[in-house]
Amino acid sequence: MLPIRLRSRPRKQDIEMRFSANAVNRTATSDPVIALAEAQTLLLQSSNARLDTEIAAVLKMIAQAHDADRAFLFMIKDMMFVENTHQWVAQGIKPVQEDLKVTPYYAGAMFWDAFRRDGMLALADTSTVPAGSEMHNVLVQQDIKSMIAAPLWSADDISGFVGLDFCREAREFDACDCALIRSLAASLSAALKHRQQVRHQARLETDLQAALDRISSMVRALPELLLETDRHGVVVGFHQSPPLILALAPEEVIGRPPEQFLPPHVAAISRKAMAQVDASGWSETLSYSINIDGRAKRFALHATRRGASGSRRSQGYLFVVRDVTESYEQTHHLPLLGRMADLSSNLIMLTDERQRVTWMNPAAIARTGISLDAALGRDPVDLLRLDTSDSGAADDLRHKLKKFDQFKQDVAATSWTGLPYWIDLNMQSLTNAEGEVQGYMIVASDVSLHKLAEARALRERISTMDLSDDGIAITQPDGHIAYMNSTMRRVMCVSADTPIQTLTWHDINPQPLRDQFAKILPELYSQGQWNGEVAFPQQNAADRYFDMSIWVQSDGAFLTIAREITARKASEKNNALLREQLHIAQSRQQIAQLAGGLAHDIYNFMAVIMHTIEAMKQDLGHTNHESLARIESASAQVLSLLKNMSKLSRREAQRSVRDIRPIVKQSTDLLRPSLGGDAELTLTMPDDPINILCDQTELMQVLINLMINARDALPLGTCPRAQISVHVHRLEAPEDNFPLDVGTFWPEHRYTLLEVCDTGIGLSTELKKTMFDPYFSTKGEHGTGLGMSIVSAILLSNKAALRVQSEPGEGTRVQVFWPIASEASAPELVAAGVEETPSLVGLNVLLAGDNETALAEMSKLLSSAGAEVASCATPQEAIAAVRDDPGNWNVIVVKANTATPTVDAWAKSFRQAELSIPVILTAAEGSLHFATPSAQNENDIVLHRADAASVLETLSHYTKLRTTH
C-alpha cells in the first residue's frame, strides 16, 4: 500500500487571517457585479472584531468598481443625529468625514423622503437641488456633481444609508446601478444586525452566569446540619454550615448516640424519625425548639435511609436539620397579617400563578363594586375595568403583568357602578422556597383626590401659561409640539386656528435659531439646558430680539420659554449713545477749560507787553515806530488767536423746556451699573412733572459728575451704610439766608431742588473751599480735576445755584437749585440758543485795583455791557471820588490779583470810610462765592473768584435788584 499523508485541518483563525489579508490586498475590479459579490462574501465571512475594517474595504471595492470619488456609510443616532461612521475617498478628493461626524437629523430630509418613496436616492445632477436649501449648500461645499444612496433598514425604520459621491464629473444611473447599491445596503444591514445580535447574546450570557453564581452562593450559605448515624443511631458523620446550629466540636458528637449530646425532647424526636424511616424509608418533617443565646430558635428535622438496604454494614440514617425560625414566625403571623389586610384601606388582591384572582380584601370589594364570589377566577384588569377608561392602558397593563415579576404604575379605573377613580398599582410575584412563582399580590392605593388636585393644578398652570407675556412651548421627544401658548404663537408666527399637533419644532423655528441647532443640541444634552439671545428678522420692520431658554425634562420633552427683549435692546443702544454723547460733551468741556485757562494766562502776559509798547512809544518819541508797530501787530495777532482759542470745543447749548424727572431717571440708570459691593442708589421724585429750561446733556453732566463723586466717596467693600440717594422737589420760594457755593438766587425765578446725598467719607472745610478749582482732584491719577469746575460753569450759564453740606465722616449733601421754566421767557431763550448777555445800562461803576492790565480788561468788559466805568489805583482814590460826587456812583468793584490779605485790607478801608454804596471785592483764590448784601458785613460782596464773568453776573443781579426796589 502507498503511504498516505494526512493534512491537518486548518484552524478557523488561520483562515480568517488569510482571508482578511486577501481582502486588504485584493485587486480592484472594474466590474460592479463582481465587486458586489466579493463585498458580500467578505461581509458574510467577517468576524465581529474585524467588521469595521471589512466595511472600509467593501466601500473601497464598490467605489472603485463604479469609478466613484467617495463612498460613505451613515448611521442614525437616537433620531436626533446622523453620524458618518465610515468613508473612503479617491486620491485628490477632500475627506469630509470629520465635518459630518455629528449632523442634525433634519438636515437629511431629502434622503428620508426619497428612501420612503422610491427605496433609494439617485441624483444624477445635483444642480437640480433647490438653491439656498441646506442640502444644496452641503453638495456645493463637497463638490458633489452626482450621488446615489440606499437605506439600511431595521424592521420598518431607517437605521442608516450607504452611497457613492461623484465629484469630478456627473454620472447617469441605470437600473443595474440602483439594484447593486440596494444589495450592498442590504448586506451591510445584515452584517451590522448580526454584530448587534452577537453582542446582545454575549451580554445575556454574562448576566446568566452572574445569576448562576449568585444562586450557587445562596445554596452554599444555607444553614444546614447533616448527621450520619449507624443503624443504632450512633453518629458516624457530622457536618454543619455557618451559622453554627450546635456549638459542639465534631469529636464531641461522633461515636455518641443522640441522647448523649442532644436535649431529651430533641433526642426523642430523632428516635421517632428513625422509627418512621424503618417503616417507610423516610420520615415526616418534625420540628422542635431550642433556646440559643437566650432566644427560642425553631428547627425542622427530616430523616432518610443511609446506604444500600442489602448491606447491614452500610445501613444507617441520614438527618438534615434546618433553621426554620423565620418561616415559623411568618406562619405564626399569618392570621395577624390576614386581619391587617382586611382592615387596610388599600385595595389588595391575590392571584394564582396564571394571574386569576383568588382573594380580595374588603377595601378592594368596596372600591371595585364587585363581590368576592363574582371576582374569583377573573383577570385583575377586568375587575378594574381599565378597558372602559383607556383600552391602550389596559393592553399595556396586561403586557406588564405577563412580562414582569413586579412593577408600579398609576392607572385610571372604573368601578362596576360606573364611577371613575385613580389607583397607584403595585404588583409583586409570590414565590416558594425554590423560587417558583405561586401567585401574585396586587396592592393599589386610591389616589383619586391626589389626581384631582394635580389636574386642578395643571389647569391652573396652563391658564397661567396662557396668560403669560412670555412665549411658552412644550415639545415632545420626537419634535412634535405638545403645547404652545398664545404669546409663543405670535412669536413663531403660528395662527390661532392652526392645530399644534401637526407642527414640529423644526417647522416653526425661524432660520436664525435653526442655524444655531448644531451648537445648541450638544450643550442642551450635556447640561440639560440652554440659554441665549436670538434675533428674529421681520419683514419691513426692525428685528425683534428674544431671550430663549430651553430645558430637557425628565421624560425627554423640551420646555422652551421666549421672552422678548427688543425694548431692552433698544434701551441699551440708546443708553450707549447717551453715554457717548455725555463723554463727548465732558471732553469738550475739559478741552474748553484747558484752552480758556491757558488763553487767560497768556492774555495777561500779552496785556503787559501791549502796555509796555505804549510806554516805549512815549519814551522813544517818533523814532523806531516801525519796529514797535511790527511788535504791536504781532501781539494783536496773538490776542486774536487767544480769542479763538478760548472758543475751542465750546458746545452751543440746545436749551428747551423739558420735564426734569426723565433726565434724572436716565442719569441714575447710567450710573447704577458702576456701583460696586452692596452700594445702593435710590431715587425719589414727585408724581407731577416739573418743567425746566435746560440742555439735556448739560443737566446730565451735572448729575453724573455729582453722583460719580458720591460713588467714589463711599467706603470700599461691603458696608450697610453705602448708599446714594437722589431727591427731586419743587421749591416755590427759596430762602436766601444761607450761603451758596455756586451762583445766586434770581428774584424772578422759581426753583426745583435736586439733592444728591451719600453716606461717604464727607468733606473737610479746606476741601469744600477748593473743590471747584480747576485741576483740583482728590482722586490722584484717576481724576482730571475738571468735573466740579465744569459743573460750576454749567450752573452759572443756566442761572442755577449749588450748595454743599458736608462734615468729615458724616457724608455729603449737594443741593442744586435749577430755575423752573416760565411760559413767557422760555420761547425767547429757546430761540436764542445761548444765554442772555447781562445788561448794565445806567450803572456807574468805580473800578479800583492794583493791576493796570486787569483793570483794563475789566473796564472793557463792563463798558461793553453798557456800564459807565472809571478807574483808580488805591482805596483812598476810590473813597475820595465817591465823597466828591456821592450821587454819581452806584457801585465800587475792586479787581485785585494779589493775595486775600490785600483784599481784606481794601475791604477794611471801605468799611472805615462808611460809604453808602455797595462794594464788590474779588480774590484770585478759592471757588466762586456769591451772597446777597444782607449776608455780608456792611455793604461788602465778596467773590472768591477773579474772573470777569462772575463780576458781570453779580453786577447784572445788582442792577435788577436796584431796578426792582
Side-chain angles (χ1 to χ4, degrees):
M1 294 179 62
L2 295 176
I4 299 177
R5 177 176 296 175
L6 297 177
R7 180 180 295 174
S8 62
R9 184 175 181 179
R11 294 180 302 170
K12 179 181 178 182
Q13 54 267 37
D14 296 334
I15 297 174
E16 289 180 349
M17 293 178 59
R18 289 197 298 271
F19 189 84
S20 179
N22 292 336
V24 174
N25 301 319
R26 190 183 302 273
T27 303
T29 176
S30 60
D31 189 337
V33 177
I34 297 177
L36 175 62
E38 293 181 351
Q40 291 176 333
T41 302
L42 190 61
L43 292 173
L44 287 173
Q45 299 185 0
S46 174
S47 65
N48 290 328
R50 301 195 324 273
L51 184 58
D52 287 326
T53 303
E54 308 296 14
I55 290 175
V58 164
L59 291 180
K60 177 180 179 181
M61 292 163 55
I62 297 299
Q64 290 178 343
H66 287 79
D67 198 21
D69 299 306
R70 187 184 294 118
F72 53 83
L73 174 62
F74 282 84
M75 300 302 295
I76 296 175
K77 303 294 183 182
D78 300 327
M79 297 301 290
M80 296 297 296
F81 302 99
V82 182
E83 181 183 0
N84 188 185
T85 59
H86 298 79
Q87 186 182 93
W88 174 87
V89 294
Q91 187 173 1
I93 300 300
K94 175 185 176 183
V96 294
Q97 185 175 8
E98 290 301 321
D99 299 335
L100 301 175
K101 273 291 186 182
V102 180
T103 304
Y105 178 79
Y106 66 81
M110 186 180 76
F111 284 87
W112 319 137
D113 293 342
F115 290 161
R116 292 188 174 93
R117 184 184 63 250
D118 305 324
M120 65 174 303
L121 171 66
L123 194 60
D125 185 2
T126 57
S127 62
T128 59
V129 177
S133 65
E134 295 182 10
M135 182 54 64
H136 179 269
N137 296 336
V138 172
L139 295 174
V140 171
Q141 291 173 0
Q142 298 181 14
D143 298 327
I144 299 174
K145 293 182 173 56
S146 297
M147 173 192 292
I148 185 170
L152 277 66
W153 296 91
S154 177
D156 295 332
D157 294 328
I158 299 174
S159 60
F161 60 93
V162 64
L164 303 174
D165 289 340
F166 298 86
C167 303
R168 294 186 176 91
E169 60 182 14
R171 164 77 179 271
E172 295 291 337
F173 302 109
D174 55 20
C176 182
D177 294 327
C178 297
L180 289 175
I181 200 70
R182 282 199 298 265
S183 297
L184 176 62
S187 298
L188 287 171
S189 293
L192 292 171
K193 184 176 182 180
H194 175 71
R195 179 171 66 177
Q196 183 179 6
Q197 291 174 343
V198 170
R199 291 177 176 176
H200 181 65
Q201 182 179 355
R203 286 194 299 270
L204 291 178
E205 291 176 352
T206 302
D207 294 341
L208 177 60
Q209 184 60 46
L212 292 175
D213 292 341
R214 287 195 299 271
I215 292 174
S216 299
S217 300
M218 293 172 61
V219 171
R220 287 193 299 269
L222 285 176
E224 291 186 346
L225 174 65
L226 300 179
L227 289 174
E228 292 181 84
T229 70
D230 59 15
R231 61 189 182 89
H232 301 293
V234 177
V235 177
V236 296
F238 174 81
H239 173 75
Q240 57 184 356
S241 300
L244 295 177
I245 296 175
L246 295 177
L248 298 174
E251 57 271 16
E252 296 177 290
V253 175
I254 295 176
R256 298 171 181 265
E259 290 78 8
Q260 293 184 7
F261 62 88
L262 290 176
H265 70 288
V266 179
I269 290 175
S270 63
R271 290 297 180 182
K272 180 180 179 180
M274 293 180 198
Q276 292 180 353
V277 171
D278 291 339
S280 61
W282 61 81
S283 73
E284 62 178 328
T285 300
L286 305 173
S287 63
Y288 59 90
S289 297
I290 299 178
N291 286 326
I292 298 178
D293 297 330
R295 180 188 175 190
K297 302 280 288 183
R298 196 76 181 179
F299 299 94
L301 179 147
H302 178 78
T304 185
R305 182 176 289 118
R306 168 178 169 268
S309 58
S311 175
R312 294 186 59 179
R313 196 173 65 178
S314 63
Q315 284 183 341
Y317 306 94
L318 175 64
F319 294 88
V320 178
V321 181
R322 291 185 178 179
D323 187 345
V324 294
T325 305
E326 185 175 352
S327 61
Y328 176 80
E329 290 177 350
Q330 289 178 354
T331 304
H332 181 69
H333 291 154
L334 278 178
L336 296 177
L337 294 175
R339 184 57 178 163
M340 290 174 58
D342 287 339
L343 297 177
S344 175
S345 61
N346 291 331
L347 286 68
I348 302 176
M349 302 182 187
L350 295 178
T351 74
D352 57 18
E353 67 277 8
R354 296 182 301 163
Q355 296 178 355
R356 299 298 175 183
V357 173
T358 59
W359 180 80
M360 292 197 309
N361 73 336
I365 295 172
R367 198 68 180 96
T368 58
I370 187 172
S371 66
L372 178 59
D373 292 337
L376 294 177
R378 304 190 67 162
D379 186 348
V381 177
D382 294 337
L383 294 183
L384 298 173
R385 299 188 67 189
L386 300 183
D387 290 325
T388 306
S389 303
D390 186 349
S391 59
D395 294 338
D396 180 59
L397 184 58
R398 285 193 179 94
H399 173 72
K400 290 182 177 178
L401 287 171
K402 293 178 180 179
K403 184 175 181 181
F404 302 107
D405 290 337
Q406 61 181 17
F407 70 90
K408 179 179 179 180
Q409 179 177 329
D410 287 353
V411 295
T414 304
S415 72
W416 284 77
T417 59
L419 295 177
Y421 61 96
W422 277 88
I423 55 174
D424 179 17
L425 188 146
N426 292 266
M427 187 204 76
Q428 177 71 49
S429 62
L430 303 175
T431 59
N432 58 17
E434 288 73 26
E436 298 174 348
V437 175
Q438 292 184 321
Y440 296 87
M441 181 176 66
I442 297 176
V443 180
S445 303
D446 193 333
V447 292
S448 300
L449 294 178
H450 178 67
K451 286 294 182 178
L452 289 174
E454 283 186 349
R456 189 182 306 111
L458 178 60
R459 287 196 299 271
E460 292 175 354
R461 285 197 296 269
I462 292 177
S463 177
T464 302
M465 290 190 294
D466 287 339
L467 297 175
S468 175
D469 293 333
D470 295 338
I472 303 175
I474 300 176
T475 311
Q476 297 174 358
D478 61 359
H480 284 84
I481 305 297
Y483 169 79
M484 181 185 296
N485 69 350
S486 56
T487 304
M488 184 63 86
R489 283 180 179 268
R490 292 193 296 271
V491 171
M492 297 300 180
C493 301
V494 178
S495 61
D497 56 351
T498 302
I500 60 174
Q501 292 78 7
T502 62
L503 301 176
T504 65
W505 187 243
H506 178 72
D507 296 333
I508 65 174
N509 275 335
Q511 190 62 42
L513 189 56
R514 288 204 301 268
D515 292 342
Q516 297 187 45
F517 266 10
K519 296 180 179 179
I520 292 176
L521 290 176
E523 180 179 345
L524 187 61
Y525 279 106
S526 62
Q527 300 184 9
Q529 66 178 21
W530 174 86
N531 177 263
E533 295 181 359
V534 182
F536 286 10
Q538 306 293 313
Q539 291 184 353
N540 303 323
D543 291 352
R544 296 174 67 189
Y545 292 87
F546 292 89
D547 184 3
M548 302 285 293
S549 298
I550 306 175
W551 290 270
V552 180
Q553 305 302 295
S554 58
D555 59 354
F558 300 92
L559 171 64
T560 304
I561 298 179
R563 176 170 298 172
E564 184 162 9
I565 56 173
T566 305
R568 191 190 79 190
K569 283 289 186 180
S571 176
E572 291 175 353
K573 182 178 180 180
N574 292 335
N575 285 343
L577 180 61
L578 189 58
R579 289 191 192 94
E580 185 178 355
Q581 291 174 347
L582 284 173
H583 179 72
I584 293 173
Q586 191 86 343
S587 300
R588 285 177 172 173
Q589 289 278 13
Q590 292 176 356
I591 294 173
Q593 288 274 6
L594 291 171
L598 183 61
H600 176 78
D601 293 340
I602 298 177
Y603 190 87
N604 288 337
F605 291 115
M606 292 305 302
V608 175
I609 294 174
M610 296 295 290
H611 181 75
T612 304
I613 291 174
E614 292 296 330
M616 291 178 66
K617 285 182 180 180
Q618 297 177 5
D619 294 341
L620 297 176
H622 297 288
T623 62
N624 295 324
H625 274 199
E626 183 177 353
S627 298
L628 290 176
R630 286 197 298 270
I631 296 174
E632 189 174 19
S633 175
S635 299
Q637 292 294 325
V638 172
L639 291 175
S640 177
L641 290 174
L642 290 176
K643 183 176 181 180
N644 293 333
M645 189 176 183
S646 66
K647 299 178 181 179
L648 181 62
S649 296
R650 183 177 299 167
R651 176 183 175 273
E652 182 176 338
Q654 302 294 326
R655 294 188 179 91
S656 61
V657 177
R658 299 173 181 267
D659 184 1
I660 193 174
R661 297 176 305 160
I663 301 176
V664 177
K665 179 66 167 57
Q666 276 187 305
S667 301
T668 55
D669 289 343
L670 287 176
L671 182 78
R672 199 180 303 275
S674 68
L675 296 176
D678 295 332
E680 296 181 356
L681 173 60
T682 60
L683 173 61
T684 305
M685 297 189 295
D687 296 332
D688 299 328
I690 302 177
N691 294 326
I692 62 171
L693 183 66
C694 71
D695 180 304
Q696 178 177 352
T697 302
E698 287 185 344
L699 180 55
M700 292 187 73
Q701 280 185 267
V702 172
L703 292 170
I704 291 295
N705 275 294
L706 295 180
M707 288 190 292
I708 286 177
N709 287 343
R711 179 200 66 190
D712 295 342
L714 295 176
L716 297 176
T718 58
C719 176
R721 297 182 60 252
Q723 186 173 18
I724 301 173
S725 56
V726 179
H727 309 276
V728 179
H729 312 279
R730 186 187 295 272
L731 192 66
E732 297 295 343
E735 299 178 0
D736 59 356
N737 59 353
F738 54 82
L740 296 171
D741 295 285
V742 175
T744 183
F745 290 128
W746 295 82
E748 69 273 19
H749 285 308
R750 293 178 300 136
Y751 291 87
T752 179
L753 173 59
L754 197 157
E755 292 183 311
V756 178
C757 309
D758 66 70
T759 57
I761 58 177
L763 297 172
S764 64
T765 303
E766 292 73 15
L767 286 177
K768 284 195 289 186
K769 288 182 179 180
T770 57
M771 64 184 294
F772 293 99
D773 288 353
Y775 316 118
F776 174 78
S777 174
T778 61
K779 304 174 186 177
E781 297 180 355
H782 300 288
T784 62
L786 296 175
M788 295 306 294
S789 177
I790 291 172
V791 168
S792 173
I794 292 175
L795 294 177
L796 289 175
S797 67
N798 286 276
K799 297 186 178 179
L802 180 141
R803 180 190 186 194
V804 179
Q805 295 175 291
S806 183
E807 294 293 338
E810 298 297 329
T812 302
R813 178 190 300 271
V814 180
Q815 297 177 314
V816 175
F817 304 90
W818 198 282
I820 296 177
S822 62
E823 296 181 359
S825 61
E828 179 182 347
L829 290 175
V830 172
V834 296
E835 84 175 274
E836 297 176 285
T837 302
S839 175
L840 305 181
V841 176
L843 190 68
N844 294 335
V845 180
L846 183 59
L847 189 62
D850 54 5
N851 189 307
E852 294 183 6
T853 302
L855 288 178
E857 177 185 356
M858 183 67 72
S859 176
K860 181 178 179 181
L861 177 66
L862 299 180
S863 297
S864 64
E868 294 293 334
V869 183
S871 300
C872 53
T874 64
Q876 291 74 21
E877 290 181 9
I879 293 171
V882 173
R883 285 176 175 172
D884 290 343
D885 192 358
N888 187 44
W889 306 107
N890 303 117
V891 64
I892 299 175
V893 176
V894 179
K895 176 67 175 175
N897 285 335
T898 55
T900 300
T902 304
V903 178
D904 293 339
W906 283 65
K908 184 176 180 181
S909 299
F910 288 128
R911 287 195 203 96
Q912 292 174 349
E914 297 182 351
L915 299 177
S916 60
I917 62 174
V919 178
I920 297 177
L921 303 173
T922 64
E925 62 188 42
S927 59
L928 175 64
H929 174 80
F930 174 79
T932 57
S934 61
Q936 301 294 327
N937 294 327
E938 305 295 339
N939 290 324
D940 298 345
I941 298 175
V942 179
L943 296 178
H944 291 290
R945 192 184 214 175
D947 59 69
S950 300
V951 177
L952 190 61
E953 180 181 352
T954 304
L955 289 176
S956 174
H957 184 206
Y958 171 72
T959 302
K960 293 182 180 181
L961 290 174
R962 182 166 161 268
T963 303
T964 304
H965 298 289

